[in-house]
């Protein structure tokens, strides 16, 4: 097992981005960078990349689809970019249709993180400190995320502590494709252990506060299902997609979700200590070809994101889960990705 570091280049703000590569005993590798603590790749020992990632400083600096990002302070959307805590209303930096998406404009992914390497555990820990001045959430909040690569399992451990009551609901926005990044993700099978999902407003995909049953709908992935079959049942624009919060039925030792490639037999299991998975399917490059049907037909969906977190907009909806981080309390969450049948 080895950990190596090299420079990617200079970010537009002048800071130097570095890539940390962790190789496990089987010769498989993951790559992460100190810009945004971003996960860039998972490469098998025969150099098959099972993740869509960004590898140049210009793409890392400005992107629309949060590719590989560590997300926070709060994943997904906060409606109206505001919430009330301890009787005070906080107004965040909106960055999508008047809402705060993935922590708002100045979030975890738009900054340089410090890092330390632990060769003994095959891990790298990124650290940064958020303040109310930066992102308009209350409190000064030192936070960390640790990537650990052991055998063929990647674990992400998120920790934070604040000097004031604040919100903390982080996640990872990695894009996976066990068939390889140059293949059509519609041909993958997906299983999400979920009976219901959040009802979303069509105009901005923020939660209404209600739940919808998945059974006998295109959102039923309780059994392994070809993604393209369910996607074909949806109505929408040329790049119609899933972007939905699925409530997870937690069972000890069972993954919350599994994405698999029926041809190679490779699969990725997602284990979480939270109550939801956000399932998103895309070709992130479509952001640069808005409305171009011909381009999209030639470059279809090439990966999916499975974002483990507490249900979206939980601070504004009773019963969605508690994302309040009390002052002086350290909170830790863990998500595990198990890569199967790689050889």
């Amino acid at each position: 097992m080895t950990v190596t570091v090299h420079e990617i280049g200079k970010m537009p703000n002048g800071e130097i981005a570095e890539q940390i590569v962790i190789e496990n005993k089987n010769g498989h590798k993951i790559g992460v960078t100190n810009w945004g603590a971003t996960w860039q790749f998972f490469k098998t020992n025969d150099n098959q990349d099972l993740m869509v990632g960004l590898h140049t400083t210009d793409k890392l600096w400005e992107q629309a689809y949060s590719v590989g990002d560590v997300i926070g302070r709060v994943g997904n959307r906060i409606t109206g970019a505001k919430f009330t805590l301890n009787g005070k209303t906080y107004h965040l930096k909106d960055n999508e249709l008047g809402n705060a998406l993935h922590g708002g404009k100045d979030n975890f992914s738009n900054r340089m993180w410090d890092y330390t390497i632990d060769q003994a555990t095959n891990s790298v820990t990124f650290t940064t400190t958020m303040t109310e001045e930066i992102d308009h959430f209350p409190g000064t909040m030192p936070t960390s995320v640790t990537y650990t690569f052991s055998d063929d399992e990647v674990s992400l451990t998120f920790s934070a502590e604040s000097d004031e009551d604040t919100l903390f609901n982080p996640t990872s926005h990695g894009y996976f494709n066990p068939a390889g990044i140059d293949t059509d993700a519609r041909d993958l099978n997906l299983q999400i252990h979920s009976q219901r999902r959040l009802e979303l407003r069509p105009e901005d995909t923020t939660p209404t506060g209600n739940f919808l049953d998945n059974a006998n709908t295109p959102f039923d992935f309780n059994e392994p299902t070809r993604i393209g079959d369910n996607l074909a049942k949806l109505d929408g624009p040329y790049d119609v997609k899933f972007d939905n919060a699925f409530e997870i039925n937690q069972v000890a030792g069972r993954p919350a979700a599994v994405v698999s490639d029926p041809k190679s037999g490779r699969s990725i299991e997602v284990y979480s200590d939270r109550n939801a998975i956000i399932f998103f399917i895309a070709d992130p490059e479509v952001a640069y070809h808005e409305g171009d049907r011909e381009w999209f037909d030639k470059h279809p969906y090439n990966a999916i994101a499975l974002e483990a977190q507490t249900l979206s907009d939980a601070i504004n909806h009773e019963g969605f889960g508690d994302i309040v981080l009390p002052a002086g309390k350290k909170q830790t969450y863990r998500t595990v990705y198990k890569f199967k049948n790689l050889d």
Side-chain angles (χ1 to χ4, degrees), residues 68-326:
D69 286 351
V70 163
I71 300 297
R73 300 185 194 192
V74 174
N76 216 262
R77 295 166 180 85
I78 295 181
T79 302
K82 64 180 180 180
F83 64 93
T84 300
L85 183 62
N86 299 331
K88 180 179 178 180
T89 298
Y90 294 88
H91 295 270
L92 306 174
K93 297 181 178 182
D94 65 276
N95 57 342
E96 186 198 61
L97 301 174
N99 305 305
L101 174 63
H102 295 328
K105 183 175 181 295
D106 294 303
N107 53 40
F108 282 4
S109 62
N110 294 326
R111 57 194 298 103
M112 192 69 75
W113 294 53
D114 297 320
Y115 69 91
T116 57
I117 293 170
D118 187 339
Q119 292 271 8
T121 60
N122 227 34
S123 66
V124 56
T125 297
F126 295 98
T127 57
T128 194
T129 298
M130 305 300 291
T131 67
E132 187 169 350
E133 181 181 13
I134 293 171
D135 62 5
H136 294 186
F137 286 87
T140 296
M141 190 186 78
T143 188
S144 68
V145 57
T146 299
Y147 291 85
T148 303
F149 191 20
S150 58
D151 295 329
D152 295 335
E153 173 180 303
V154 181
S155 67
L156 277 71
T157 304
F158 307 88
S159 294
E161 186 172 346
S162 176
D163 62 356
E164 298 180 42
D165 290 357
T166 191
L167 306 186
F168 186 53
N169 186 18
T171 189
S172 173
H173 211 300
Y175 284 82
F176 303 98
N177 186 338
I181 60 173
D182 294 324
T183 63
D184 190 337
R186 289 173 294 191
D187 292 329
L188 300 173
N189 290 332
L190 177 64
Q191 182 176 29
I192 306 176
H193 291 292
S194 172
Q195 302 298 326
R196 60 182 191 167
R197 68 195 186 279
L198 294 185
E199 181 183 51
L200 303 176
R201 298 181 180 90
E203 62 271 19
D204 63 0
T205 62
T206 55
T208 66
N210 300 321
F211 287 88
L212 299 173
D213 291 334
N214 296 332
N216 302 313
T217 76
F219 301 88
D220 189 352
F221 290 95
N222 205 46
E223 298 295 331
T225 303
R226 181 179 177 274
I227 293 172
D229 292 344
N230 278 13
L231 195 64
K233 300 173 185 177
L234 297 179
D235 294 322
Y238 74 106
D239 62 338
V240 60
K241 62 176 69 73
F242 291 99
D243 184 7
N244 298 88
F246 291 77
E247 183 185 46
I248 297 306
N249 306 321
Q250 293 282 11
V251 174
R254 186 180 74 177
V258 181
V259 58
S260 59
D261 170 31
K263 293 182 180 179
S264 68
R266 291 189 293 258
S267 65
I268 304 167
E269 299 176 347
V270 184
Y271 295 80
S272 172
D273 51 13
R274 250 84 69 77
N275 69 359
I277 289 280
I278 312 299
F279 166 40
F280 183 69
I281 183 168
D283 178 343
E285 290 291 325
V286 77
Y288 309 109
H289 302 272
E290 189 64 36
D292 187 345
R293 178 80 238 186
E294 183 178 355
W295 183 92
F296 185 76
D297 286 342
K298 293 179 180 178
H299 305 84
Y301 310 92
N302 55 20
I304 72 169
L306 295 168
E307 308 154 53
Q309 63 166 80
T310 302
L311 284 163
S312 308
D313 204 20
I315 188 61
N316 290 318
H317 298 279
E318 186 176 354
F320 279 19
D322 185 6
I323 64 170
V324 174
L325 175 61

Side-chain angles (χ1 to χ4, degrees), residues 4 6 8 18-24 27-33 37-45 47-56 60 67-69 147 149 154 156 173-177 181 268 339:
T4 57
H6 68 274
I8 298 174
E18 295 178 316
Q19 184 181 78
I20 301 94
V21 178
I22 307 175
E23 181 175 350
N24 74 0
H28 309 309
K29 299 176 182 179
I30 67 168
V32 292
T33 176
T38 301
W39 191 355
Q40 295 178 288
F41 65 77
F42 182 108
K43 291 184 179 179
T44 65
N45 53 22
N47 210 38
Q48 179 76 260
D49 200 344
L50 308 186
M51 295 184 69
V52 169
L54 302 176
H55 303 283
T56 60
L60 286 166
V67 180
D69 286 351
Y147 291 85
F149 191 20
V154 181
L156 277 71
H173 211 300
Y175 284 82
F176 303 98
N177 186 338
I181 60 173
I268 304 167
F339 293 75

